[in-house]
Amino acid sequence: MSTESWSTPRPTEVHRERGDAQGGPPPGVLAVVFTALFLAGLVLSTVLAGGEPFPSPFGDTAGIVAWFRAHPDAVQVSGALQFAASIPLAVYAATVSARLHRLGVRAPGATIALAGGLLASGFLACCGLIGWTLSRTEVLELPQLVRALQHLAFATGGPGHVVTLGLLVAGIAVPGLLAGLLPRALALTGLVLAAVAELSTLTLLLDGAALLLPLARFTCLGWLIAAGFLLPRHRAHARAAARRGSAGGAVHTGSTDGPVRATSTGDPSRTGNTGGPTRASVTTSTTSTTDATAGPDHEEV
């Protein structure tokens, strides 16, 4: 018995390819870039300062002013790299928000992620520019101004940046959990980290709560990297994975996007049709056809 099969092209394929071209840069790569720039600012400034870290804003004014006057280059490099890190962070927020909308998220989560990311980027940029200002010789001549600018840099780069970074994490984690766009464990971890980031607001009231800042900051940065690489481009990614997992070797019937037909030239008496060749659905090749047509809907992560 000879058979002939064909499938019609999917009408949405061209639109998806155009959408992919407009999807923006990979968010995982953006997260790596802004994390690397931020860490480079910390490391290089410490090296330039001879291993001495930035002074705590809760220390005495004389010691703080002396440190800034002794290490203006370290302060300048730190401020410049923090400002540079804020740019890919803003692009990350815009890209992830747009992707969540494309994945069908209509809840406020996508907008919360965008707002949180832009605010976090803005606070980090302000912190970097204030830090750069603290490296100017004319500013260092005024101890009270140095003290005021350091407090402002701490407020913007500390609780201001970390709390809003938590909003970005929460805006991705909530729809990632409810819509199944992220692994459940990763989404739940993001919710916990976002809660810790929000609690760092207490730093404005209690000096001891400042310990929450590095804890929330660095764990959130790591989470954003993971989420950036694991967030799919299309919902078909999750649907196809679930379909393959639930198939268990069973034969699918009619699960392809396009029709699959076959012409049979077998014995008419076996089909009950005496008028000519029989046309029947080919179900044994459906599984392989589905795998072949599902490819463009996925993002390899």
Side-chain angles (χ1 to χ4, degrees):
M1 181 177 65
S2 63
T3 60
E4 179 184 0
S5 63
W6 68 92
S7 62
T8 59
R10 291 179 297 172
T12 59
E13 230 174 65
V14 174
H15 298 287
R16 280 178 181 157
E17 289 178 358
R18 290 176 180 173
D20 288 344
Q22 299 176 1
V29 175
L30 290 171
V32 170
V33 171
F34 70 69
T35 300
L37 288 172
F38 182 83
L39 293 178
L42 295 179
V43 173
L44 289 178
S45 62
T46 303
V47 171
L48 291 174
E52 298 180 27
F54 267 74
S56 169
F58 309 114
D60 63 284
T61 302
I64 291 173
V65 173
W67 189 93
F68 279 103
R69 287 176 176 174
H71 310 293
D73 293 338
V75 179
Q76 184 180 35
V77 169
S78 175
L81 288 177
Q82 284 188 5
F83 177 78
S86 69
I87 306 305
L89 177 57
V91 179
Y92 178 96
T95 302
V96 168
S97 177
R99 181 170 296 189
L100 289 174
H101 282 299
R102 289 178 58 200
L103 290 169
V105 175
R106 296 295 178 261
T111 305
I112 291 174
L114 178 61
L118 293 180
L119 284 172
S121 172
F123 278 122
L124 187 61
C126 289
C127 178
L129 294 176
I130 294 169
W132 178 87
T133 304
L134 280 168
S135 68
R136 302 294 92 188
T137 304
E138 53 273 22
V139 172
L140 295 175
E141 297 298 327
L142 303 172
Q144 296 305 319
L145 180 59
V146 171
R147 187 71 160 140
L149 289 176
Q150 192 206 15
H151 278 300
L152 186 56
F154 174 77
T156 54
H161 171 67
V162 172
V163 171
T164 52
L165 194 68
L167 283 181
L168 172 60
V169 171
I172 301 172
V174 172
L177 176 65
L178 298 181
L181 302 175
L182 291 174
R184 182 178 178 82
L186 180 66
L188 290 174
T189 301
L191 294 178
V192 173
L193 297 180
V196 175
E198 302 313 303
L199 287 175
S200 65
T201 304
L202 295 174
T203 304
L204 299 174
L205 300 174
L206 304 171
D207 294 349
L211 295 175
L212 294 173
L213 293 174
L215 174 63
R217 187 198 306 274
F218 294 112
T219 52
C220 284
L221 290 178
W223 190 91
L224 290 172
I225 292 175
F229 282 112
L230 293 176
L231 191 66
R233 285 184 180 272
H234 305 292
R235 230 180 230 284
H237 183 97
R239 287 202 306 265
R243 186 165 59 241
R244 286 196 300 268
S246 61
V251 177
H252 295 266
T253 56
S255 61
T256 55
D257 293 331
V260 179
R261 300 177 179 177
T263 303
S264 172
T265 57
D267 188 358
S269 64
R270 299 185 62 181
T271 62
N273 184 352
T274 58
T278 301
R279 175 168 294 180
S281 297
V282 177
T283 61
T284 58
S285 63
T286 303
T287 303
S288 62
T289 307
T290 304
D291 293 337
T293 58
D297 292 340
H298 292 61
E299 178 194 40
E300 295 299 332
V301 293

